Amino acid sequence: MIRCISPIDGSVYTERDTLSADSARATVQRAQAAQSAWAARPLAERIALVQAGVAKIGEMNDEIVPELAHQMGRPVRYGGEFGGFNERATYMAKIAQDALADIEIENSDSFRRVIKRVPHGVVLVVAPWNYPYMTAINTVAPALIAGNTVVLKHASQTLLVGERLAAAFHAAGIPEDVFQNVFLDHQTTSDLIAAKSFGFVNFTGSVGGGKAMERAAAGTFTGVGLELGGKDPGYVCDDADLDAAVDTLIDGAMFNSGQCCCGIERIYVAEQHFDAFVAKAVAIVRGYKLGNPLDPETTLGPMAHKRFADEVRAQTAEAIAAGAIAHIDTFAQDDGSAYLTPQILTNVSHDMRVMRDESFGPVVGIMPVKDDAEAIRLMNDSDFGLTASIWTRDAARAEAIADQIETGTVFMNRADYLDPGLCWTGCKDTGRGGGLSIIGYHNLTRPKSYHLKKA
């Protein structure tokens, strides 16, 4: 049994039985049996069916938004995820013809030599709860378009999301065995991977979860794409637009209660702007309203689970005990549950867990730096590498700094955004592989070469 405990009040919001090992294997067998017929359909038809399924999710949005509030705590005022969900799926549909096109080397009287991209077969997508629709569609849409069948295992915190996606895609005409939503425990998931059930596995989640996926796949030669932890930095240069930098970086640190894969978790500010930056940041955070996410006035909801909030409380308390200065008084709604006061910390150092471990919550440490070299050193002083945000009016300077940062994506004068035209990727403990863009299609297919000598 998998249970979703609502962060609103700690009650059981929904629960589902997990599949037995036999039922799980039968699910995979149906997906395997359906794959060749699905791949044989014209690419344009697969694209149209996926786009129709995406539109069906849009039609459900009024129901989905409060469901998300109940499941993972995001305030209803923000209207759900359909904008980004649709943007990503639409872009991947748009580039599919070119991304999956044959690479013709020769077509002469003597030879036809060509490289085709063929689907892996069955793709397992293990999706997280923090942006449950957008993170899932990153892989689901291009995997289906490329001719794979998909088995989706969603997080226990967002049990209803996979059911919504399945209902939408099936209503649009995608066969039930081509896209299946499943409820699996960890052991059954690992056993299926170890049994070579899938042609490719895409996992978004914790570093520990990623290691478990790699262990399960060891020796199977199954491709595994991993997007794991992050500790994304922002750097405010001496020539930055300070107001824009504060607004964007603090929103990037606090939106969704800090539960963003590419949220800002540490900020480095040119020392001459440090005091002004902190003052502006504190004013923004003090203006938030922490409360029930079903209330349209709420700007900051609870974290998805009390244990997540407790980890952020622990990191914050340890930092304060070690000399960090907390700038935000505890909000009245912070009662030790999933509701957590957002916090800004200064006088921090990289000796503190809050500046090294993933927090994944509404806390950010801010440090002054004397120059670009110090900022680069501190940004790279991390086990993670997903995104980094640089604030300057000089594009050449930004790119020169970016070239020296160990990360998957570098932003200039923006943060906390996923551009579907660029590869979504990371380095170090953030994982491996890449989604979206043309590279996303390359990872969800394999090259197959044809060397045809004509008689």
Side-chain angles (χ1 to χ4, degrees), residues 27 33 58 89 146 153 172 183 224 254 288 294 353 425 430 441-442:
T27 294
K153 176 190 181 296
F183 303 105
V224 180
M254 303 299 174
Y288 290 152
L294 297 171
R353 282 205 306 134
T425 186
T430 290
Y441 276 116
H442 289 177

Side-chain angles (χ1 to χ4, degrees), residues 231-235 237 266 268 372-373 375-382 384-391 397-411 427-428:
K231 195 70 183 174
D232 292 6
Y235 171 37
C237 300
R266 50 200 175 106
Y268 308 100
D372 292 350
I376 292 165
R377 178 181 64 78
L378 289 169
M379 284 190 281
N380 285 338
D381 183 27
S382 174
F384 302 105
L386 184 57
T387 78
S389 176
I390 302 168
W391 289 79
R397 178 185 183 184
E399 190 161 348
I401 294 169
D403 287 343
Q404 301 174 70
I405 302 175
E406 299 160 355
T407 191
T409 296
V410 182
F411 297 107
C427 61
K428 300 194 278 192

Side-chain angles (χ1 to χ4, degrees), residues 128-450:
W129 50 263
N130 63 318
Y131 281 92
Y133 285 91
M134 289 196 287
T135 52
I137 204 64
N138 289 351
T139 306
V140 169
L144 290 171
I145 288 171
N148 300 283
T149 52
V150 171
V151 174
L152 172 65
K153 176 190 181 296
H154 223 299
S156 59
Q157 199 64 44
T158 42
L159 284 179
L160 301 183
V161 173
E163 291 182 337
R164 286 281 185 188
L165 289 168
F169 285 138
H170 298 160
I174 294 175
E176 291 187 5
D177 291 346
V178 168
F179 178 82
Q180 297 182 76
N181 175 63
V182 296
F183 303 105
L184 301 175
D185 60 33
H186 294 326
Q187 188 60 53
T188 302
T189 305
S190 293
D191 290 345
L192 288 174
I193 295 170
K196 300 186 179 182
S197 301
F198 309 106
F200 188 80
V201 176
N202 194 85
F203 173 80
T204 304
S206 68
V207 173
K211 290 179 178 178
M213 292 288 166
E214 286 202 324
R215 284 194 295 270
T220 69
F221 308 116
T222 301
V224 180
L226 302 170
E227 185 202 326
L228 309 176
K231 195 70 183 174
D232 292 6
Y235 171 37
V236 181
C237 300
D238 51 14
D239 65 339
D241 180 333
L242 196 59
D243 288 335
V246 174
D247 288 345
T248 304
L249 291 174
I250 296 304
D251 181 68
M254 303 299 174
F255 187 77
N256 206 39
S257 298
Q259 300 166 132
C260 302
C261 299
C262 56
I264 296 296
E265 296 213 357
R266 50 200 175 106
I267 300 174
Y268 308 100
V269 182
E271 54 190 5
Q272 61 265 53
H273 296 313
F274 180 76
D275 291 342
F277 184 97
V278 171
K280 291 173 182 289
V282 168
I284 291 171
V285 173
R286 285 178 177 164
Y288 290 152
K289 180 181 179 182
L290 175 67
N292 189 318
L294 297 171
D295 180 353
E297 299 301 313
T298 293
T299 57
L300 199 72
M303 293 190 68
H305 198 284
K306 181 181 182 297
R307 72 177 182 274
F308 305 148
D310 286 343
E311 168 62 14
V312 179
R313 289 187 179 101
Q315 289 187 21
T316 303
E318 290 170 18
I320 293 170
I325 298 170
H327 290 262
I328 309 297
D329 295 332
T330 301
F331 284 24
Q333 299 92 334
D334 186 341
D335 57 2
S337 65
Y339 292 86
L340 178 65
T341 294
Q343 190 56 264
I344 291 174
L345 299 173
T346 58
N347 201 36
V348 290
S349 74
H350 280 215
D351 295 327
M352 301 172 180
R353 282 205 306 134
V354 77
M355 295 299 285
R356 298 194 65 85
D357 291 357
E358 184 173 39
S359 302
F360 217 63
V363 61
V364 64
I366 308 176
M367 295 176 64
V369 292
K370 64 179 183 296
D371 55 25
D372 292 350
E374 183 179 18
I376 292 165
R377 178 181 64 78
L378 289 169
M379 284 190 281
N380 285 338
D381 183 27
S382 174
D383 292 332
F384 302 105
L386 184 57
T387 78
S389 176
I390 302 168
W391 289 79
T392 174
R393 301 175 194 271
D394 184 339
R397 178 185 183 184
E399 190 161 348
I401 294 169
D403 287 343
Q404 301 174 70
I405 302 175
E406 299 160 355
T407 191
T409 296
V410 182
F411 297 107
M412 172 182 166
N413 297 336
R414 74 178 313 177
D416 192 24
Y417 172 70
L418 192 156
D419 180 347
L422 298 175
C423 183
W424 190 243
T425 186
C427 61
K428 300 194 278 192
D429 284 0
T430 290
R432 67 179 186 185
L436 298 172
S437 77
I438 189 172
I439 293 173
Y441 276 116
H442 289 177
N443 286 332
L444 289 166
T445 56
R446 66 177 180 86
K448 183 176 181 180
S449 295
Y450 293 72

Side-chain angles (χ1 to χ4, degrees), residues 3-15 62-77 80-81 129 132-133 156-161 164 256 259 291-295 301-306 338-339:
R3 286 181 173 157
C4 169
I5 306 298
S6 176
I8 293 177
D9 56 11
S11 65
V12 176
Y13 180 62
T14 189
E15 54 189 10
D62 287 347
E63 302 163 58
I64 285 173
V65 169
E67 281 180 358
L68 288 175
H70 280 288
Q71 290 175 94
M72 48 75 65
R74 186 184 305 126
V76 296
R77 70 180 288 133
E81 301 179 21
W129 50 263
Y133 285 91
S156 59
Q157 199 64 44
T158 42
L159 284 179
L160 301 183
V161 173
R164 286 281 185 188
N256 206 39
Q259 300 166 132
N292 189 318
L294 297 171
D295 180 353
M303 293 190 68
H305 198 284
K306 181 181 182 297
Y339 292 86

